[in-house]
Amino acid sequence: MRHWLVKTEPDAFSLDDLRRESPALWDGVRNYQARNFLREMQLGDVVLIQHSSCKVPAVVGLAVVSELALPDPTASDPEHKGFDPRQVADIDADKPPRWVAPRLSYLRPLRTTLPIARLKARPELADSHLVRRARLSVMPLSESEAACIASMAGDTLLP
DNA sequence: GCCAACGTTGGC
DNA sequence: GCCAACGTTGGC
């Protein structure tokens, strides 16, 4: 079982929104590295939800992968902001879909929410994607990184 | 295939 | 709202 971290803007879709709408399609990702990570997600993997672009950016809660990544329907919808005609071309050509979305099911809030500033201060996380890769919205956590976050949050990070 | 211009993300 | 750190686009 792997651990992942995903970012979401709470004004658009918060942890509470996920709780109300669980399970939810995690759509709208339009970055190739993030897309590759979405493809790697396995059923039962635990996903840390991080609020971004808000007053206190922080890891706030947990979800679990409840359906493997499927073609992101918002990418084939011309009415949608995330529309990408190449998605339609890929599907028509029987190629793997360019953009995908897994389904995530709400788990719980973290016992202690963890502001990004606190995470960035930890030497154990200095080499993590979170610290090293600006703007990446989907990333894996190593076991040791997950263990560090678990201990900071007073949470097992288990489903 | 290089790279300058441009657009976006997201912490601060 | 600023701006650094990116990723993408398109002319050449």
Side-chain angles (χ1 to χ4, degrees), chain A residues 69-118:
Chain A
L70 53 121
D72 182 342
T74 68
S76 354
D77 176 5
E79 302 300 308
H80 199 280
K81 177 175 169 290
F83 175 62
D84 185 343
R86 297 171 301 180
Q87 175 89 340
V88 183
D90 288 345
I91 293 170
D92 287 348
D94 269 334
K95 289 200 279 186
R98 185 168 305 247
W99 305 119
V100 298
R103 212 175 292 276
L104 302 185
S105 290
Y106 176 84
L107 227 43
R108 61 178 179 275
L110 281 186
R111 284 192 58 207
T112 314
T113 67
L114 297 173
I116 294 307
R118 281 193 62 204

Side-chain angles (χ1 to χ4, degrees), chain A residues 3-157:
Chain A
H3 289 92
W4 303 90
L5 183 145
V6 301
K7 299 178 183 176
T8 185
E9 299 188 8
D11 288 347
F13 194 80
S14 67
L15 181 67
D16 272 345
D17 291 325
L18 177 61
R19 176 173 52 77
R20 283 187 289 265
E21 298 178 31
S22 179
L25 202 56
W26 205 260
D27 58 18
V29 172
R30 297 291 183 272
N31 168 280
Y32 291 106
Q33 189 178 8
R35 183 277 314 271
N36 292 341
F37 288 141
L38 291 179
R39 283 179 175 162
E40 292 180 28
M41 287 185 174
Q42 295 294 312
L43 295 179
D45 283 356
V46 168
V47 180
L48 285 73
I49 306 291
Q50 185 214 313
H51 283 170
S52 65
S53 294
C54 54
K55 200 152 63 181
V56 183
V59 178
V60 294
L62 300 177
V64 63
V65 177
S66 53
E67 192 176 340
L68 299 179
L70 53 121
D72 182 342
T74 68
S76 354
D77 176 5
E79 302 300 308
H80 199 280
K81 177 175 169 290
F83 175 62
D84 185 343
R86 297 171 301 180
Q87 175 89 340
V88 183
D90 288 345
I91 293 170
D92 287 348
D94 269 334
K95 289 200 279 186
R98 185 168 305 247
W99 305 119
V100 298
R103 212 175 292 276
L104 302 185
S105 290
Y106 176 84
L107 227 43
R108 61 178 179 275
L110 281 186
R111 284 192 58 207
T112 314
T113 67
L114 297 173
I116 294 307
R118 281 193 62 204
L119 298 179
K120 288 193 167 175
R122 299 285 293 212
E124 300 96 316
L125 301 178
D127 288 331
S128 66
H129 288 287
L130 187 65
V131 174
R132 293 233 146 161
R133 287 293 330 272
R135 298 172 36 185
L136 186 61
S137 63
V138 179
M139 65 195 81
L141 299 169
S142 72
E143 282 189 42
S144 64
E145 291 160 4
C148 172
I149 293 174
S151 108
M152 291 175 76
D155 192 295
T156 61
L157 304 188

